[in-house]
Amino acid sequence: MMARRIEIFDTTLRDGEQSPGVSLNVQEKLEIARQLARLGVDVIEAGFPVASPGDFAAVEAIAKEVRGPVIAALARAVPGDIEKAAAALRPAARPRIHTFIATSPIHMQFKLRKSPEEVLELAAAAVRLARQYVDDVEFSAEDATRSDPEFLARVFAAAIEAGATVLNVPDTVGYTTPGEFARLIRYLRENVPGIERVKLSVHCHDDLGLAVANSLAGIEAGVTQVECTINGIGERAGNAALEEIVMALRTRADVYGCETGIVTQEIYRTSRLVSSLTGMLVQPNKAIVGENAFAHEAGIHADGVLKERSTYEIMTPESIGLKQSRLVLGKHSGRHAFRARLRELGYELSDQELQQAYERFIELADRKKTVTDRDIEALVAGAESRANIPEEYALEYLSVVSGTGGLATATVRLRRGGEVFTEAACGDGPVDACYRAIDRITGIHVELDSYQLQAVTGGKDAAGEVTVRLKDDGHVFIGRGLSTDVIEASARAYLHAFNKMLAARRDAAGTSAASATGTGAAGGAAAPAAGVDG
Ligand code: KIV
Ligand code: ZN
């Protein structure tokens, strides 16, 4: 029997970006969108253009550049939103406006303060307006799973009548269960006139940990599109994880009888990229892409896998693009060998990106006996957008003294253009001391919102990967640093986020670099922290 094709609608850049504390700049969104296209998703929901100028610019940039998937933009069921979405999508080869309005009694009464009849009218009007701009219009009934099914069916019928090409059934608050959701989908398929002419979609949130199970139940009940995000990031507990749905459909094709267009070998790389740019680390026991997902600890398991992999492996690490970590390069490997290994791992870097990555590789190889594929992946994740952030402050030297009981002290030397600045500071610990010394040099104190440290591989000489989140006037900037010395990784992560913040301040102010810097050793009067997204 022919497998049924399920379309994968990725909303990492829209719902995923709504994760608390996540903020991506235009370059970062473009880098993720390019990777999503490589992954083979059918639809990229690129953003919510009316939300901010940064969102608009990102949707427009993705619409202009990324070819292959449909590019969708979100709009509430109001003319202003729809016009903005249409404008941002203008350069797209395959644009889709995704408009939504809530249909549950709770939302209609307390949030919208509208009667069901008014909501039905607004839904139809929104779809009609969107169809004046594009041929492909998706309509979502927000909080569908807490809506009256009969009313939901009437709204969907009106949306079809108005020209919708896709109907989406969101479990907005992650409330439904697989059985209940499947019944709702079947009910809609039987009671919405014309539903067979449009695509039917589900969009599940994970508040009860059921997002993937509910999405799969929707597929079993006949939907042809699922909305999901990489690593399951999203509002509150997140959205259904793309990699889990896709690998469930692939591994259990015997049960579902469905296929997707996803190039599964790109899953691991996409997961790393999203985690690195959003600063949302993946838990080790996360299905498919977690550090332990293919690790066999118990002796009996390890022995079984050595004898026959299928004893304890229902899918191979290679199927998600996870190469067995092996010794690859050392400090004597030249740029050629480095580039060749990157190519084998699926990375094609520009000359500038390669140069930056190679310099960081040499630094790492200097200290670490063996540089593994995992180390290399950590080095190059985010290389495209990193290359677009001017390294205004670069770390030249760092020395830290710390011990039990007592303050730590740090001496830091930074280069900015042709000048070098050195400062020392005390702190509660070595990282605090180091960050205080950097603040003294730049003259700008930024709020450290979060700090996370992870070892990239096992072993005593493992590289430490630090992810920091800085807050500046309500805007969030994420930085990453990698080194075998975790204090150095901490300094690099801080400077990475700091340089992004300076670039955003400059973009917002439209002024020269000098006016965006602070009052410390590096001079200049502090510029107001103008608001743009990080
Ligand atoms: O969760 C939700 O209801 C949404 C809609 C906008 C589709 O994200
Ligand atoms: Zn959602």
Side-chain angles (χ1 to χ4, degrees):
M1 206 178 68
M2 272 268 287
R4 193 154 58 88
R5 174 74 154 75
I6 302 298
E7 296 197 1
I8 300 295
F9 176 117
D10 180 278
T11 183
T12 304
L13 295 175
R14 200 277 298 168
D15 226 346
E17 215 235 357
Q18 285 172 223
S19 305
V22 170
S23 174
L24 298 165
N25 63 31
V26 175
Q27 287 305 327
E28 291 166 335
K29 286 186 183 174
L30 249 179
E31 186 170 358
I32 291 176
R34 286 189 203 109
Q35 179 56 28
L36 289 172
R38 258 180 242 128
L39 179 66
V41 305
D42 298 283
V43 185
I44 294 174
E45 185 161 54
F48 190 6
V50 83
S52 72
D55 254 61
F56 184 94
V59 174
E60 192 177 41
I62 292 167
K64 200 180 276 173
E65 200 198 295
V66 178
R67 290 291 174 263
V70 167
I71 307 297
L74 188 68
R76 287 167 301 180
V78 293
D81 281 32
I82 293 166
E83 283 148 16
K84 266 268 183 305
L89 286 173
R90 207 167 290 137
R94 302 173 66 202
R96 176 183 295 178
I97 294 178
H98 176 192
T99 185
F100 72 99
I101 191 163
T103 51
S104 67
I106 301 176
H107 279 231
M108 290 189 292
Q109 184 183 344
F110 297 108
K111 187 181 82 172
L112 299 175
R113 298 184 198 284
K114 298 215 181 295
S115 71
E117 294 313 308
E118 284 173 302
V119 165
L120 191 141
E121 271 310 308
L122 286 171
V127 173
R128 257 194 309 274
L129 178 62
R131 277 302 302 261
Q132 290 182 13
Y133 295 102
V134 293
D135 292 337
D136 191 5
V137 173
E138 172 165 335
F139 171 73
S140 282
E142 192 189 7
D143 207 16
T145 50
R146 292 192 299 170
S147 304
D148 167 24
E150 257 179 61
F151 176 62
L152 189 59
R154 281 183 57 218
V155 177
F156 276 152
I160 295 175
E161 185 84 346
T165 47
V166 185
L167 294 181
N168 182 37
V169 189
D171 182 29
T172 303
V173 290
Y175 181 70
T176 198
T177 63
E180 180 186 73
F181 199 42
R183 280 194 294 280
L184 176 63
I185 299 297
R186 285 195 202 100
Y187 171 84
L188 293 170
R189 291 185 67 201
E190 282 159 17
N191 290 281
V192 177
I195 200 164
E196 65 292 339
R197 296 200 307 269
V198 300
K199 292 177 185 168
L200 191 56
S201 168
V202 287
H203 172 116
C204 297
H205 280 268
D206 208 29
D207 300 66
L208 292 173
L210 291 172
V212 170
N214 288 335
S215 304
L216 292 170
I219 290 171
E220 286 190 287
V223 306
T224 52
Q225 174 181 286
V226 271
E227 304 197 352
C228 42
T229 60
I230 301 297
N231 301 337
I233 65 170
E235 282 274 359
R236 307 181 309 279
N239 290 55
L242 178 149
E243 62 279 3
E244 295 180 22
I245 294 173
V246 167
M247 291 312 284
L249 293 180
R250 180 180 146 141
T251 309
R252 299 310 310 273
D254 56 326
V255 171
Y256 294 107
C258 295
E259 62 180 17
T260 69
I262 295 296
V263 181
T264 61
Q265 291 75 9
E266 291 288 333
I267 284 179
Y268 180 70
R269 178 178 169 187
T270 316
S271 163
R272 280 258 11 159
L273 178 68
V274 168
S275 150
S276 136
L277 293 182
T278 59
M280 300 268 296
L281 303 188
V282 173
Q283 83 214 41
N285 61 328
K286 162 89 177 59
I288 317 295
V289 290
E291 193 55 34
N292 298 345
F294 293 95
H296 303 282
E297 180 72 17
I300 296 172
H301 290 211
D303 179 56
V305 169
L306 282 175
K307 287 177 177 146
E308 165 56 46
R309 281 171 88 166
S310 61
T311 49
Y312 287 100
E313 268 184 15
I314 58 168
M315 54 201 155
T316 64
E318 290 80 10
S319 65
I320 63 151
L322 185 56
K323 311 278 186 308
Q324 291 304 336
S325 207
R326 59 186 172 89
L327 314 185
V328 274
L329 302 169
K331 67 175 171 179
H332 300 299
S333 316
R335 189 188 309 256
H336 251 69
F338 181 62
R339 173 170 252 171
R341 187 68 199 132
L342 282 177
R343 282 210 177 114
E344 278 167 34
L345 291 172
Y347 293 90
E348 199 62 59
L349 302 191
S350 71
D351 288 347
Q352 190 196 354
E353 290 155 16
L354 181 73
Q355 179 58 28
Q356 284 187 359
Y358 184 67
E359 281 166 17
R360 287 187 291 138
F361 160 70
I362 289 296
E363 278 168 19
L364 188 64
D366 229 2
R367 303 205 188 145
K368 198 168 182 285
K369 264 204 312 270
T370 52
V371 177
T372 66
D373 289 345
R374 295 285 180 85
D375 292 319
I376 293 183
E377 274 160 343
L379 270 177
V380 299
E384 281 174 42
S385 39
R386 193 181 269 270
N388 281 301
I389 300 293
E391 201 181 14
E392 187 147 339
Y393 286 98
L395 183 67
E396 285 245 317
Y397 168 85
L398 168 67
S399 164
V400 174
V401 180
S402 72
T404 50
L407 286 174
T409 57
T411 307
V412 174
R413 191 160 70 228
L414 301 184
R415 180 175 38 78
R416 178 166 166 248
E419 290 179 276
V420 168
F421 305 93
T422 307
E423 276 289 348
C426 296
D428 285 337
V431 175
D432 184 41
C434 173
Y435 288 1
R436 283 172 192 262
I438 292 175
D439 286 354
R440 281 201 177 161
I441 292 176
T442 62
I444 301 175
H445 176 73
V446 279
E447 187 190 332
L448 180 65
D449 191 42
S450 75
Y451 172 97
Q452 300 174 86
L453 168 63
Q454 240 190 354
V456 174
T457 53
K460 283 187 184 154
D461 70 345
E465 189 175 25
V466 172
T467 306
V468 297
R469 189 173 281 145
L470 301 185
K471 258 201 182 145
D472 178 48
D473 197 24
H475 299 285
V476 172
F477 299 90
I478 291 151
R480 237 171 27 98
L482 188 76
S483 171
T484 50
D485 176 332
V486 295
I487 308 301
E488 182 187 326
S490 305
R492 290 192 184 283
Y494 192 76
L495 285 171
H496 180 216
F498 190 83
N499 286 330
K500 278 162 88 172
M501 182 202 76
L502 291 182
R505 279 190 182 192
R506 259 199 315 275
D507 283 355
T511 53
S512 70
S515 67
T517 53
T519 52
V532 292
D533 282 331

